[in-house]
Amino acid sequence: VDSGKTQGGSSGSNRVASGNSVRIEITPVAGKPGFADMNGYEWAEEAVNSLYDKNIISGVGNGKFEPERNIKREEFVKLLVEALGNNVEVGQIDFADIPEGHWSIPYISKAVSLDFIKGYSEDCFGIGDEISREDMAVIIYRALNNSGYEFTGDGKVFADEKEISEY
């Protein structure tokens, strides 16, 4: 704060007067992102708030989380890269469907460099596409496997095993 005078405000905010202008500073309260659209999803609030507090998620803007919306490929990659604590570096990716300067480039670049994810092809990532649970499982497996985790089979069979792709 510059040479302004701080005045009282509601919890999590300060009203700062400086010259002829007043600036409102809002400080998020830990664990309380206040997503306006979480009614009916109280069962998920603790997990959502925890991911928010760790800067892994931020919602979709305007105080919304959109809990009913399916997650997109690039969003899932960001969550995984952030959750695993991998430092994000911008590297070279050659997916023609990712616009220059897109927010997801550092995350996709990191995931590709760590061999967590591949595109649909060498030049198509699938930006904006919803991700299937099958693809999520493959990406999580690769990410954890490439991070040093080992997996052993337990012999369980999935009810929809015949619908699961070979990859």
Side-chain angles (χ1 to χ4, degrees):
V1 176
D2 295 343
S3 60
K5 179 181 174 187
T6 302
Q7 300 174 351
S10 62
S11 66
S13 69
N14 288 319
R15 188 172 154 204
V16 180
S18 177
N20 292 331
S21 64
V22 174
R23 181 178 66 215
I24 305 292
E25 294 179 349
I26 298 174
T27 306
V29 178
K32 304 287 184 204
F35 294 120
D37 56 353
M38 288 297 292
N39 290 338
Y41 293 91
E42 290 77 14
W43 57 269
E45 282 183 324
E46 183 178 346
V48 169
N49 290 345
S50 176
L51 293 172
Y52 176 84
D53 288 343
K54 294 173 183 171
N55 293 317
I56 294 173
I57 63 166
S58 58
V60 297
N62 297 322
K64 294 184 179 181
F65 183 70
E66 293 186 358
E68 292 183 22
R69 181 177 63 81
N70 291 332
I71 190 167
K72 299 191 181 334
R73 289 173 54 84
E74 63 272 16
E75 293 167 338
F76 184 75
V77 168
K78 178 197 185 266
L79 292 174
L80 191 58
V81 168
E82 290 283 0
L84 292 175
N86 291 298
N87 294 329
V88 177
E89 302 164 2
V90 178
Q92 181 65 33
I93 51 175
D94 295 317
F95 298 118
D97 64 330
I98 301 177
E100 188 175 325
H102 195 268
W103 67 265
S104 66
I105 291 173
Y107 304 102
I108 294 171
S109 171
K110 185 65 169 186
V112 167
S113 73
L114 294 171
D115 200 28
F116 291 3
I117 192 166
K118 301 176 185 331
Y120 292 144
S121 66
E122 286 186 24
D123 64 346
C124 180
F125 175 77
I127 199 86
D129 289 354
E130 294 175 358
I131 191 166
S132 68
R133 66 185 179 116
E134 182 178 52
D135 283 347
M136 284 187 220
V138 169
I139 294 166
I140 291 170
Y141 173 82
R142 286 181 187 151
L144 294 176
N145 192 49
N146 294 345
S147 296
Y149 292 87
E150 292 185 24
F151 297 91
T152 58
D154 61 6
K156 291 184 180 178
V157 177
F158 293 98
D160 60 351
E161 182 176 13
K162 292 180 181 173
E163 298 172 32
I164 299 173
S165 300
E166 285 300 314
Y167 73 94

